[in-house]
Amino acid sequence: MSNSERHPVVFINPAFDDLKNFIRKDPQIVRAVFKKLALLERSAYAGEGLAGELRGYRKLVVGRNHWRIVWRPIVASSGQQIIEISEIWAVGARSKSEVYAEVIARKNSLGDSPNHISMSEAISQLMPELNDAFVTQQVDELPNWLVSQLTEQLGLNLDQVQEMDLDMAMNVWIAWTNREK
């Protein structure tokens, strides 16, 4: 797989509801979640594997060890093409392992084929100040949604964006979204 290929990231509907709750409480949490999800676009196996009842699921730590993103990588095969998808099952607090208990409950009630919402649709719905037009050009190491925000919302040209690494690009985007309006 080349560096420019991206893995789709999707949310099961209850995980998207988790984000909607967080956006009301603290939009910074959601921005930090999207920053972490950029890792999954590059590697569907980022983070750490879980054990026990959640074998096959993985986690990413968000913030100062307070929040978790729990997902499972899915490999869908259509003809010759294999697509690795990061399916987000929960975003929640680490304390008292509540996020893991929630994933187990969701897994037991939803089965293996829950409904999904794409990351681009999640960004569009949760952060309406960001438009949902996405740049179709691949920029090495940066996810398409981030390239779109930097070029279309901030007005940076594509050459400027291509010179940024992921951390720099995310910091520019976060500073822009936190600016005083």
PDB file of all heavy atoms in Angstrom, residues 67-80:
ATOM      1  N   TRP A  67      -9.435   9.768  27.661  1.00  0.00           N
ATOM      2  CA  TRP A  67     -10.439   9.348  26.693  1.00  0.00           C
ATOM      3  C   TRP A  67      -9.900   8.229  25.836  1.00  0.00           C
ATOM      4  O   TRP A  67      -8.703   8.135  25.597  1.00  0.00           O
ATOM      5  CB  TRP A  67     -10.840  10.533  25.803  1.00  0.00           C
ATOM      6  CG  TRP A  67     -11.256  11.703  26.608  1.00  0.00           C
ATOM      7  CD1 TRP A  67     -10.504  12.815  26.889  1.00  0.00           C
ATOM      8  CD2 TRP A  67     -12.492  11.885  27.302  1.00  0.00           C
ATOM      9  NE1 TRP A  67     -11.203  13.665  27.698  1.00  0.00           N
ATOM     10  CE2 TRP A  67     -12.435  13.121  27.971  1.00  0.00           C
ATOM     11  CE3 TRP A  67     -13.644  11.125  27.408  1.00  0.00           C
ATOM     12  CZ2 TRP A  67     -13.478  13.603  28.729  1.00  0.00           C
ATOM     13  CZ3 TRP A  67     -14.690  11.612  28.170  1.00  0.00           C
ATOM     14  CH2 TRP A  67     -14.599  12.844  28.821  1.00  0.00           C
ATOM     15  N   ARG A  68     -10.811   7.404  25.345  1.00  0.00           N
ATOM     16  CA  ARG A  68     -10.446   6.296  24.483  1.00  0.00           C
ATOM     17  C   ARG A  68     -11.330   6.309  23.233  1.00  0.00           C
ATOM     18  O   ARG A  68     -12.507   6.636  23.295  1.00  0.00           O
ATOM     19  CB  ARG A  68     -10.669   4.943  25.173  1.00  0.00           C
ATOM     20  CG  ARG A  68      -9.786   4.699  26.375  1.00  0.00           C
ATOM     21  CD  ARG A  68      -8.346   4.476  25.935  1.00  0.00           C
ATOM     22  NE  ARG A  68      -7.489   4.100  27.035  1.00  0.00           N
ATOM     23  CZ  ARG A  68      -6.825   4.951  27.805  1.00  0.00           C
ATOM     24  NH1 ARG A  68      -6.934   6.241  27.609  1.00  0.00           N
ATOM     25  NH2 ARG A  68      -6.044   4.529  28.769  1.00  0.00           N
ATOM     26  N   ILE A  69     -10.716   5.909  22.129  1.00  0.00           N
ATOM     27  CA  ILE A  69     -11.439   5.586  20.911  1.00  0.00           C
ATOM     28  C   ILE A  69     -11.291   4.077  20.774  1.00  0.00           C
ATOM     29  O   ILE A  69     -10.176   3.559  20.781  1.00  0.00           O
ATOM     30  CB  ILE A  69     -10.832   6.268  19.674  1.00  0.00           C
ATOM     31  CG1 ILE A  69     -10.831   7.784  19.824  1.00  0.00           C
ATOM     32  CG2 ILE A  69     -11.577   5.841  18.409  1.00  0.00           C
ATOM     33  CD1 ILE A  69     -10.011   8.504  18.759  1.00  0.00           C
ATOM     34  N   VAL A  70     -12.399   3.372  20.677  1.00  0.00           N
ATOM     35  CA  VAL A  70     -12.361   1.918  20.512  1.00  0.00           C
ATOM     36  C   VAL A  70     -12.938   1.596  19.139  1.00  0.00           C
ATOM     37  O   VAL A  70     -14.020   2.072  18.792  1.00  0.00           O
ATOM     38  CB  VAL A  70     -13.153   1.201  21.632  1.00  0.00           C
ATOM     39  CG1 VAL A  70     -13.103  -0.309  21.427  1.00  0.00           C
ATOM     40  CG2 VAL A  70     -12.598   1.575  23.013  1.00  0.00           C
ATOM     41  N   TRP A  71     -12.201   0.813  18.362  1.00  0.00           N
ATOM     42  CA  TRP A  71     -12.638   0.471  17.019  1.00  0.00           C
ATOM     43  C   TRP A  71     -12.157  -0.926  16.678  1.00  0.00           C
ATOM     44  O   TRP A  71     -11.405  -1.545  17.418  1.00  0.00           O
ATOM     45  CB  TRP A  71     -12.117   1.472  16.005  1.00  0.00           C
ATOM     46  CG  TRP A  71     -10.715   1.212  15.556  1.00  0.00           C
ATOM     47  CD1 TRP A  71     -10.328   0.552  14.425  1.00  0.00           C
ATOM     48  CD2 TRP A  71      -9.525   1.557  16.234  1.00  0.00           C
ATOM     49  NE1 TRP A  71      -8.964   0.492  14.373  1.00  0.00           N
ATOM     50  CE2 TRP A  71      -8.437   1.098  15.478  1.00  0.00           C
ATOM     51  CE3 TRP A  71      -9.253   2.211  17.420  1.00  0.00           C
ATOM     52  CZ2 TRP A  71      -7.125   1.266  15.856  1.00  0.00           C
ATOM     53  CZ3 TRP A  71      -7.946   2.385  17.807  1.00  0.00           C
ATOM     54  CH2 TRP A  71      -6.903   1.925  17.035  1.00  0.00           C
ATOM     55  N   ARG A  72     -12.630  -1.394  15.544  1.00  0.00           N
ATOM     56  CA  ARG A  72     -12.116  -2.649  15.014  1.00  0.00           C
ATOM     57  C   ARG A  72     -11.772  -2.449  13.548  1.00  0.00           C
ATOM     58  O   ARG A  72     -12.485  -1.754  12.822  1.00  0.00           O
ATOM     59  CB  ARG A  72     -13.117  -3.784  15.184  1.00  0.00           C
ATOM     60  CG  ARG A  72     -14.356  -3.652  14.344  1.00  0.00           C
ATOM     61  CD  ARG A  72     -15.296  -4.818  14.533  1.00  0.00           C
ATOM     62  NE  ARG A  72     -16.481  -4.618  13.700  1.00  0.00           N
ATOM     63  CZ  ARG A  72     -17.442  -5.485  13.597  1.00  0.00           C
ATOM     64  NH1 ARG A  72     -17.390  -6.609  14.280  1.00  0.00           N
ATOM     65  NH2 ARG A  72     -18.480  -5.243  12.824  1.00  0.00           N
ATOM     66  N   PRO A  73     -10.672  -3.021  13.119  1.00  0.00           N
ATOM     67  CA  PRO A  73     -10.349  -2.980  11.694  1.00  0.00           C
ATOM     68  C   PRO A  73     -11.172  -4.037  10.964  1.00  0.00           C
ATOM     69  O   PRO A  73     -11.358  -5.140  11.473  1.00  0.00           O
ATOM     70  CB  PRO A  73      -8.856  -3.299  11.643  1.00  0.00           C
ATOM     71  CG  PRO A  73      -8.521  -3.907  12.951  1.00  0.00           C
ATOM     72  CD  PRO A  73      -9.591  -3.558  13.928  1.00  0.00           C
ATOM     73  N   ILE A  74     -11.685  -3.675   9.821  1.00  0.00           N
ATOM     74  CA  ILE A  74     -12.473  -4.579   8.993  1.00  0.00           C
ATOM     75  C   ILE A  74     -11.790  -4.665   7.631  1.00  0.00           C
ATOM     76  O   ILE A  74     -11.380  -3.645   7.084  1.00  0.00           O
ATOM     77  CB  ILE A  74     -13.903  -4.047   8.790  1.00  0.00           C
ATOM     78  CG1 ILE A  74     -14.618  -3.936  10.121  1.00  0.00           C
ATOM     79  CG2 ILE A  74     -14.680  -4.929   7.835  1.00  0.00           C
ATOM     80  CD1 ILE A  74     -15.972  -3.274   9.996  1.00  0.00           C
ATOM     81  N   VAL A  75     -11.694  -5.841   7.100  1.00  0.00           N
ATOM     82  CA  VAL A  75     -11.150  -6.011   5.760  1.00  0.00           C
ATOM     83  C   VAL A  75     -12.293  -6.467   4.865  1.00  0.00           C
ATOM     84  O   VAL A  75     -12.860  -7.532   5.061  1.00  0.00           O
ATOM     85  CB  VAL A  75      -9.997  -7.033   5.732  1.00  0.00           C
ATOM     86  CG1 VAL A  75      -9.485  -7.215   4.319  1.00  0.00           C
ATOM     87  CG2 VAL A  75      -8.872  -6.594   6.656  1.00  0.00           C
ATOM     88  N   ALA A  76     -12.658  -5.601   3.936  1.00  0.00           N
ATOM     89  CA  ALA A  76     -13.713  -5.907   2.977  1.00  0.00           C
ATOM     90  C   ALA A  76     -13.059  -6.223   1.647  1.00  0.00           C
ATOM     91  O   ALA A  76     -12.159  -5.516   1.212  1.00  0.00           O
ATOM     92  CB  ALA A  76     -14.654  -4.713   2.841  1.00  0.00           C
ATOM     93  N   SER A  77     -13.492  -7.275   1.015  1.00  0.00           N
ATOM     94  CA  SER A  77     -12.902  -7.674  -0.257  1.00  0.00           C
ATOM     95  C   SER A  77     -13.943  -7.553  -1.360  1.00  0.00           C
ATOM     96  O   SER A  77     -15.032  -8.085  -1.247  1.00  0.00           O
ATOM     97  CB  SER A  77     -12.394  -9.110  -0.171  1.00  0.00           C
ATOM     98  OG  SER A  77     -11.834  -9.495  -1.393  1.00  0.00           O
ATOM     99  N   SER A  78     -13.575  -6.815  -2.402  1.00  0.00           N
ATOM    100  CA  SER A  78     -14.442  -6.721  -3.575  1.00  0.00           C
ATOM    101  C   SER A  78     -13.576  -6.981  -4.795  1.00  0.00           C
ATOM    102  O   SER A  78     -12.806  -6.137  -5.209  1.00  0.00           O
ATOM    103  CB  SER A  78     -15.117  -5.351  -3.652  1.00  0.00           C
ATOM    104  OG  SER A  78     -14.163  -4.351  -3.829  1.00  0.00           O
ATOM    105  N   GLY A  79     -13.689  -8.172  -5.330  1.00  0.00           N
ATOM    106  CA  GLY A  79     -12.839  -8.536  -6.465  1.00  0.00           C
ATOM    107  C   GLY A  79     -11.396  -8.602  -6.024  1.00  0.00           C
ATOM    108  O   GLY A  79     -11.045  -9.274  -5.069  1.00  0.00           O
ATOM    109  N   GLN A  80     -10.545  -7.863  -6.702  1.00  0.00           N
ATOM    110  CA  GLN A  80      -9.117  -7.847  -6.389  1.00  0.00           C
ATOM    111  C   GLN A  80      -8.754  -6.847  -5.299  1.00  0.00           C
ATOM    112  O   GLN A  80      -7.682  -6.898  -4.742  1.00  0.00           O
ATOM    113  CB  GLN A  80      -8.311  -7.518  -7.662  1.00  0.00           C
ATOM    114  CG  GLN A  80      -8.451  -8.527  -8.763  1.00  0.00           C
ATOM    115  CD  GLN A  80      -7.806  -9.857  -8.395  1.00  0.00           C
ATOM    116  OE1 GLN A  80      -6.907  -9.925  -7.576  1.00  0.00           O
ATOM    117  NE2 GLN A  80      -8.294 -10.929  -9.004  1.00  0.00           N
TER     118      GLN A  80
END
